[in-house]
Amino acid sequence: MARHVYPCPLRWSDMDAFGHVNNVTFLRYLEEARVDFMWRLAPGNGSDAFTGGVVVARHEIDYLKPLVHRHSPVTVETWVTEIGAAYLTVRYEIKDEDALYVRAATRIVPYDLDRGRPRRITPEEEKFLTEYLEPDPVKGAGPASGKAAGDTGEAGRREGAVTA
């Protein structure tokens, strides 16, 4: 199990009137890490994985501790907790060596921009995502095994898949 590690710089403009990183700014940090994970790391050597587009269907954020401006970046760890036939769930932790500031999750739906509709995860994308698949630490449940009822995609055919 691997996690993608993204060093995210803090900007002075990220602060709010209370002197800490604004809650909306954390969404930008998650986006920066997710873009680095899916569009820099995933395509690798000329692959077209995820280049067709994705949309965010849901965000969950738990703010655990205020983060104040400093010159050193925070670490955003990103990994996958669910892979369905036409969606995935990415989890994050924003932290440094001293504290955990945020736990978050994003439900992502691959999207066909030309057709204007969701699409299924390709076998190449699934292979990449599986390298980062681990149990959800918040839910405390391990990955399910096997194919979910009604799933006809490849995502449900390997251990660790949670499909819908």
Side-chain angles (χ1 to χ4, degrees):
M1 291 185 277
R3 289 188 179 187
H4 174 256
V5 177
Y6 177 74
C8 185
L10 304 179
R11 293 158 287 271
W12 184 253
S13 61
D14 295 346
M15 301 306 115
D16 63 16
F18 301 110
H20 53 74
V21 173
N22 183 276
N23 64 304
V24 173
T25 301
F26 281 104
L27 282 171
R28 290 187 192 108
Y29 294 169
L30 301 178
E31 178 184 51
E32 287 179 35
R34 187 173 61 252
V35 165
D36 191 63
F37 174 62
M38 295 181 77
W39 282 280
R40 184 190 62 82
L41 197 60
N45 297 324
S47 162
D48 62 356
F50 299 110
T51 57
V54 299
V55 294
V56 170
R58 177 185 171 102
H59 283 301
E60 289 179 32
I61 300 178
D62 292 321
Y63 301 97
L64 305 172
K65 184 175 180 178
L67 176 60
V68 296
H69 185 268
R70 82 268 185 108
H71 295 291
S72 59
V74 289
T75 298
V76 182
E77 290 187 359
T78 306
W79 67 98
V80 177
T81 57
E82 293 180 284
I83 303 171
Y87 75 89
L88 63 129
T89 300
V90 174
R91 280 229 169 251
Y92 319 81
E93 289 181 345
I94 298 178
K95 59 187 177 179
D96 58 26
E97 60 281 346
D98 298 321
L100 176 60
Y101 301 99
V102 166
R103 277 195 180 113
T106 303
R107 173 65 56 101
I108 298 169
V109 176
Y111 201 78
D112 184 326
L113 297 172
D114 293 333
R115 294 182 179 169
R117 64 180 188 177
R119 64 172 179 81
R120 297 175 79 72
I121 291 174
T122 68
E124 181 181 16
E125 292 166 343
E126 182 181 352
K127 182 179 179 200
F128 167 77
L129 294 169
T130 301
E131 295 176 35
Y132 294 90
L133 184 65
E134 66 179 70
D136 189 329
V138 175
K139 293 180 182 177
S145 295
K147 187 172 152 183
D151 180 28
T152 58
E154 293 294 320
R157 295 198 177 112
R158 55 159 174 67
E159 186 166 322
V162 178
T163 58

